[in-house]
Amino acid sequence: MDGVTGDGISRRGLLAGAGAAVAAAGLGACARRPDPAASAAAPTTPVAAGPTLDEAALRKKIARMLIVGFRGAQVGPDDWIMKDIGERGLGGVILFDRDQLTGESRNINSPAQVTELIKTLQGAAPHGLIVSIDQEGGQIARLGPQNGFPATKSQAEIGALDSPPATRAWAGGMAQTLVGIGVNFNFAPVADLAVNPSNPAIALLGRSFSADPNVVVSCATDTIDTYRKAQVRTSIKHFPGLGSATGNTDFEAVDVTDTWTRAEIVPFQRLIQSGTADTVMVTHFLNRKLDPDRPVSLSHAVVTDLLRGQLGWDGVVVTDDMQAVAITSRYARDEATTYALEAGVDQLVFCNQAVYDPAIVTQTVEHVLGLVRAGKIPAAQIDRSVARIDALWPPR
């Protein structure tokens, strides 16, 4: 595949070139690292709220934009996650089979147990809860024989078959499993191209359907359509393409400037143009050809100019884990949150795996509220993000 253009190209030129390239092509979770204290970021100086700013309602809206991980195979009314759901309006949770910091079982021990856990969480949510998981298949499957669920093929195995009936049957089995326990959001499918066979985050784990964009788009389309029929939402990842990387953003800062090519956008472009995507997950790598300073998940040039502007995506943009080392090694929590919102993301994911922070919801909500008070983030932007989220998961 053609490489990126030379170092002298302007960022605007590259973004325009990316749009032209995909059109010509036929258009179509976390490391063990201490979380830097939020106080390391420059504090926002609040100003008096205007008379029309309903702060109580705004706090609930901000909380709706968060998806958070927690510990426990069972939860009770006094647990922080239940209070964040019931009292603060937390939008979603993400489930894991293992706790990264302790190595112990986290949320999933058996089908009956996790079904009851999800019922308890949903029962605390006044308007419904997004329950998410990483169930890609193969090695990246939180539900598997280790906790009483069926084994699943990887995306690489399905892509090698390149058979729509086989893809739909595979996705249908996983969708049935998710619906059976109450999960309504799967962080899948991976739309990355397997262009680097030594990629430790994608190819070596069998997470990509193929290096061929036609196979990726075909398999992803059948997968998403199958999940939609089961009323499970999905997220195509990892925009703008993680397939050429040589590292894993969960565990290290990753720079793809010299390996990434414009062809890696093609599957995302085609899935967006066909109306197939539910949400788009932006990853955390640094690509200095797209933004010389910030990781793509925190970049206005990538999220707003490229994804929304060039590719025309007007739906939910969700981050990869905001506690990944690729972020925490460079930014304090509140600083990264500010940049992500300024970039134009709608949902912020905090897995609570690389660190464990039971105050993540309350502190993030207060920080974002301060940004709105100070005029750094418009209240109308919060409203737009919540409207996008509610369109996919309507409040009950």
mmCIF file of all heavy atoms in Angstrom, residues 281-306:
data_model
loop_
_atom_site.group_PDB
_atom_site.id
_atom_site.type_symbol
_atom_site.label_atom_id
_atom_site.label_comp_id
_atom_site.label_asym_id
_atom_site.label_seq_id
_atom_site.Cartn_x
_atom_site.Cartn_y
_atom_site.Cartn_z
ATOM 1 N N MET A 281 -15.275 4.325 17.528
ATOM 2 C CA MET A 281 -14.303 4.486 18.600
ATOM 3 C C MET A 281 -13.005 5.070 18.047
ATOM 4 O O MET A 281 -12.455 4.560 17.076
ATOM 5 C CB MET A 281 -13.982 3.152 19.279
ATOM 6 C CG MET A 281 -12.897 3.277 20.350
ATOM 7 S SD MET A 281 -12.353 1.688 21.026
ATOM 8 C CE MET A 281 -13.719 1.359 22.138
ATOM 9 N N VAL A 282 -12.529 6.147 18.683
ATOM 10 C CA VAL A 282 -11.243 6.729 18.307
ATOM 11 C C VAL A 282 -10.171 6.197 19.242
ATOM 12 O O VAL A 282 -10.378 6.063 20.450
ATOM 13 C CB VAL A 282 -11.272 8.272 18.335
ATOM 14 C CG1 VAL A 282 -12.034 8.819 17.154
ATOM 15 C CG2 VAL A 282 -11.861 8.795 19.633
ATOM 16 N N THR A 283 -9.033 5.881 18.670
ATOM 17 C CA THR A 283 -7.945 5.283 19.432
ATOM 18 C C THR A 283 -6.994 6.358 19.949
ATOM 19 O O THR A 283 -7.205 7.550 19.746
ATOM 20 C CB THR A 283 -7.221 4.236 18.574
ATOM 21 O OG1 THR A 283 -6.326 3.492 19.399
ATOM 22 C CG2 THR A 283 -6.444 4.886 17.434
ATOM 23 N N HIS A 284 -5.909 5.921 20.594
ATOM 24 C CA HIS A 284 -5.041 6.863 21.310
ATOM 25 C C HIS A 284 -3.661 7.045 20.698
ATOM 26 O O HIS A 284 -2.804 7.678 21.317
ATOM 27 C CB HIS A 284 -4.854 6.392 22.752
ATOM 28 C CG HIS A 284 -6.090 6.380 23.582
ATOM 29 N ND1 HIS A 284 -7.022 7.398 23.569
ATOM 30 C CD2 HIS A 284 -6.551 5.448 24.474
ATOM 31 C CE1 HIS A 284 -7.991 7.115 24.429
ATOM 32 N NE2 HIS A 284 -7.734 5.941 24.972
ATOM 33 N N PHE A 285 -3.410 6.473 19.517
ATOM 34 C CA PHE A 285 -2.053 6.617 18.992
ATOM 35 C C PHE A 285 -1.766 8.039 18.525
ATOM 36 O O PHE A 285 -2.676 8.838 18.294
ATOM 37 C CB PHE A 285 -1.751 5.596 17.890
ATOM 38 C CG PHE A 285 -2.570 5.735 16.623
ATOM 39 C CD1 PHE A 285 -2.584 6.895 15.871
ATOM 40 C CD2 PHE A 285 -3.304 4.646 16.149
ATOM 41 C CE1 PHE A 285 -3.297 6.997 14.698
ATOM 42 C CE2 PHE A 285 -4.033 4.737 14.972
ATOM 43 C CZ PHE A 285 -4.035 5.917 14.245
ATOM 44 N N LEU A 286 -0.488 8.324 18.399
ATOM 45 C CA LEU A 286 -0.042 9.608 17.882
ATOM 46 C C LEU A 286 0.305 9.436 16.411
ATOM 47 O O LEU A 286 1.022 8.514 16.034
ATOM 48 C CB LEU A 286 1.184 10.100 18.647
ATOM 49 C CG LEU A 286 1.704 11.490 18.287
ATOM 50 C CD1 LEU A 286 0.694 12.560 18.685
ATOM 51 C CD2 LEU A 286 3.049 11.748 18.978
ATOM 52 N N ASN A 287 -0.249 10.289 15.577
ATOM 53 C CA ASN A 287 0.095 10.317 14.153
ATOM 54 C C ASN A 287 0.374 11.768 13.799
ATOM 55 O O ASN A 287 -0.548 12.574 13.639
ATOM 56 C CB ASN A 287 -1.055 9.769 13.300
ATOM 57 C CG ASN A 287 -0.696 9.671 11.829
ATOM 58 O OD1 ASN A 287 0.212 10.356 11.360
ATOM 59 N ND2 ASN A 287 -1.403 8.828 11.097
ATOM 60 N N ARG A 288 1.632 12.110 13.712
ATOM 61 C CA ARG A 288 2.016 13.510 13.532
ATOM 62 C C ARG A 288 1.633 14.046 12.157
ATOM 63 O O ARG A 288 1.656 15.266 11.950
ATOM 64 C CB ARG A 288 3.517 13.677 13.782
ATOM 65 C CG ARG A 288 3.922 13.293 15.201
ATOM 66 C CD ARG A 288 5.395 13.535 15.487
ATOM 67 N NE ARG A 288 5.792 12.925 16.749
ATOM 68 C CZ ARG A 288 5.589 13.475 17.945
ATOM 69 N NH1 ARG A 288 4.995 14.654 18.030
ATOM 70 N NH2 ARG A 288 5.987 12.849 19.039
ATOM 71 N N LYS A 289 1.284 13.167 11.231
ATOM 72 C CA LYS A 289 0.794 13.631 9.938
ATOM 73 C C LYS A 289 -0.653 14.127 10.047
ATOM 74 O O LYS A 289 -1.101 14.899 9.206
ATOM 75 C CB LYS A 289 0.883 12.497 8.910
ATOM 76 C CG LYS A 289 2.314 12.010 8.672
ATOM 77 C CD LYS A 289 3.153 13.086 7.985
ATOM 78 C CE LYS A 289 4.606 12.651 7.849
ATOM 79 N NZ LYS A 289 4.801 11.401 7.109
ATOM 80 N N LEU A 290 -1.373 13.655 11.051
ATOM 81 C CA LEU A 290 -2.747 14.106 11.271
ATOM 82 C C LEU A 290 -2.820 15.197 12.331
ATOM 83 O O LEU A 290 -3.631 16.115 12.224
ATOM 84 C CB LEU A 290 -3.636 12.925 11.679
ATOM 85 C CG LEU A 290 -3.761 11.793 10.658
ATOM 86 C CD1 LEU A 290 -4.648 10.689 11.205
ATOM 87 C CD2 LEU A 290 -4.306 12.319 9.330
ATOM 88 N N ASP A 291 -2.024 15.056 13.370
ATOM 89 C CA ASP A 291 -1.941 16.079 14.411
ATOM 90 C C ASP A 291 -0.538 16.004 14.993
ATOM 91 O O ASP A 291 -0.153 14.969 15.541
ATOM 92 C CB ASP A 291 -2.989 15.845 15.505
ATOM 93 C CG ASP A 291 -3.072 17.016 16.481
ATOM 94 O OD1 ASP A 291 -2.010 17.503 16.931
ATOM 95 O OD2 ASP A 291 -4.204 17.435 16.810
ATOM 96 N N PRO A 292 0.243 17.063 14.890
ATOM 97 C CA PRO A 292 1.642 16.997 15.329
ATOM 98 C C PRO A 292 1.810 16.941 16.834
ATOM 99 O O PRO A 292 2.904 16.626 17.317
ATOM 100 C CB PRO A 292 2.246 18.294 14.767
ATOM 101 C CG PRO A 292 1.087 19.226 14.644
ATOM 102 C CD PRO A 292 -0.089 18.368 14.278
ATOM 103 N N ASP A 293 0.747 17.213 17.587
ATOM 104 C CA ASP A 293 0.900 17.362 19.030
ATOM 105 C C ASP A 293 0.147 16.339 19.867
ATOM 106 O O ASP A 293 0.675 15.844 20.855
ATOM 107 C CB ASP A 293 0.449 18.762 19.457
ATOM 108 C CG ASP A 293 1.230 19.856 18.755
ATOM 109 O OD1 ASP A 293 2.467 19.734 18.707
ATOM 110 O OD2 ASP A 293 0.611 20.799 18.244
ATOM 111 N N ARG A 294 -1.094 16.024 19.500
ATOM 112 C CA ARG A 294 -1.948 15.246 20.391
ATOM 113 C C ARG A 294 -2.306 13.884 19.806
ATOM 114 O O ARG A 294 -2.429 13.735 18.592
ATOM 115 C CB ARG A 294 -3.239 16.007 20.696
ATOM 116 C CG ARG A 294 -3.002 17.276 21.488
ATOM 117 C CD ARG A 294 -4.304 17.976 21.797
ATOM 118 N NE ARG A 294 -4.055 19.280 22.406
ATOM 119 C CZ ARG A 294 -4.972 20.210 22.601
ATOM 120 N NH1 ARG A 294 -6.229 19.976 22.214
ATOM 121 N NH2 ARG A 294 -4.659 21.353 23.156
ATOM 122 N N PRO A 295 -2.554 12.896 20.687
ATOM 123 C CA PRO A 295 -3.098 11.620 20.211
ATOM 124 C C PRO A 295 -4.421 11.851 19.493
ATOM 125 O O PRO A 295 -5.138 12.824 19.774
ATOM 126 C CB PRO A 295 -3.301 10.824 21.505
ATOM 127 C CG PRO A 295 -2.411 11.476 22.512
ATOM 128 C CD PRO A 295 -2.348 12.926 22.139
ATOM 129 N N VAL A 296 -4.760 10.963 18.571
ATOM 130 C CA VAL A 296 -5.918 11.220 17.714
ATOM 131 C C VAL A 296 -7.216 11.318 18.505
ATOM 132 O O VAL A 296 -8.134 12.042 18.106
ATOM 133 C CB VAL A 296 -6.026 10.152 16.611
ATOM 134 C CG1 VAL A 296 -4.851 10.256 15.652
ATOM 135 C CG2 VAL A 296 -6.131 8.746 17.183
ATOM 136 N N SER A 297 -7.335 10.610 19.631
ATOM 137 C CA SER A 297 -8.560 10.679 20.428
ATOM 138 C C SER A 297 -8.768 12.039 21.065
ATOM 139 O O SER A 297 -9.892 12.386 21.450
ATOM 140 C CB SER A 297 -8.534 9.610 21.516
ATOM 141 O OG SER A 297 -7.366 9.758 22.315
ATOM 142 N N LEU A 298 -7.705 12.812 21.186
ATOM 143 C CA LEU A 298 -7.776 14.140 21.809
ATOM 144 C C LEU A 298 -7.597 15.249 20.776
ATOM 145 O O LEU A 298 -7.389 16.404 21.138
ATOM 146 C CB LEU A 298 -6.700 14.276 22.890
ATOM 147 C CG LEU A 298 -6.577 13.158 23.923
ATOM 148 C CD1 LEU A 298 -5.558 13.547 24.997
ATOM 149 C CD2 LEU A 298 -7.916 12.829 24.556
ATOM 150 N N SER A 299 -7.723 14.903 19.504
ATOM 151 C CA SER A 299 -7.391 15.823 18.429
ATOM 152 C C SER A 299 -8.626 16.348 17.711
ATOM 153 O O SER A 299 -9.382 15.586 17.114
ATOM 154 C CB SER A 299 -6.482 15.124 17.407
ATOM 155 O OG SER A 299 -6.348 15.894 16.236
ATOM 156 N N HIS A 300 -8.800 17.654 17.720
ATOM 157 C CA HIS A 300 -9.882 18.286 16.959
ATOM 158 C C HIS A 300 -9.677 18.047 15.469
ATOM 159 O O HIS A 300 -10.646 17.840 14.716
ATOM 160 C CB HIS A 300 -9.913 19.784 17.268
ATOM 161 C CG HIS A 300 -11.101 20.503 16.688
ATOM 162 N ND1 HIS A 300 -11.146 20.948 15.376
ATOM 163 C CD2 HIS A 300 -12.287 20.848 17.243
ATOM 164 C CE1 HIS A 300 -12.304 21.547 15.158
ATOM 165 N NE2 HIS A 300 -13.016 21.500 16.269
ATOM 166 N N ALA A 301 -8.424 18.047 15.031
ATOM 167 C CA ALA A 301 -8.134 17.830 13.613
ATOM 168 C C ALA A 301 -8.596 16.455 13.147
ATOM 169 O O ALA A 301 -9.017 16.295 11.992
ATOM 170 C CB ALA A 301 -6.631 17.981 13.356
ATOM 171 N N VAL A 302 -8.539 15.465 14.022
ATOM 172 C CA VAL A 302 -8.941 14.109 13.648
ATOM 173 C C VAL A 302 -10.432 13.880 13.891
ATOM 174 O O VAL A 302 -11.159 13.424 13.002
ATOM 175 C CB VAL A 302 -8.099 13.066 14.407
ATOM 176 C CG1 VAL A 302 -8.614 11.652 14.140
ATOM 177 C CG2 VAL A 302 -6.634 13.181 13.998
ATOM 178 N N VAL A 303 -10.913 14.187 15.100
ATOM 179 C CA VAL A 303 -12.303 13.876 15.442
ATOM 180 C C VAL A 303 -13.276 14.769 14.694
ATOM 181 O O VAL A 303 -14.254 14.292 14.099
ATOM 182 C CB VAL A 303 -12.523 13.990 16.965
ATOM 183 C CG1 VAL A 303 -13.997 13.764 17.306
ATOM 184 C CG2 VAL A 303 -11.649 12.993 17.713
ATOM 185 N N THR A 304 -13.025 16.068 14.712
ATOM 186 C CA THR A 304 -13.976 16.997 14.088
ATOM 187 C C THR A 304 -13.675 17.233 12.608
ATOM 188 O O THR A 304 -14.562 17.126 11.765
ATOM 189 C CB THR A 304 -13.995 18.332 14.855
ATOM 190 O OG1 THR A 304 -14.524 18.093 16.178
ATOM 191 C CG2 THR A 304 -14.878 19.349 14.144
ATOM 192 N N ASP A 305 -12.416 17.537 12.281
ATOM 193 C CA ASP A 305 -12.106 17.874 10.891
ATOM 194 C C ASP A 305 -12.130 16.648 9.982
ATOM 195 O O ASP A 305 -12.709 16.682 8.893
ATOM 196 C CB ASP A 305 -10.740 18.557 10.804
ATOM 197 C CG ASP A 305 -10.694 19.895 11.520
ATOM 198 O OD1 ASP A 305 -11.781 20.433 11.814
ATOM 199 O OD2 ASP A 305 -9.587 20.381 11.799
ATOM 200 N N LEU A 306 -11.515 15.557 10.423
ATOM 201 C CA LEU A 306 -11.422 14.373 9.578
ATOM 202 C C LEU A 306 -12.653 13.483 9.689
ATOM 203 O O LEU A 306 -13.337 13.236 8.694
ATOM 204 C CB LEU A 306 -10.158 13.578 9.927
ATOM 205 C CG LEU A 306 -9.940 12.256 9.190
ATOM 206 C CD1 LEU A 306 -9.970 12.462 7.672
ATOM 207 C CD2 LEU A 306 -8.622 11.613 9.608
#
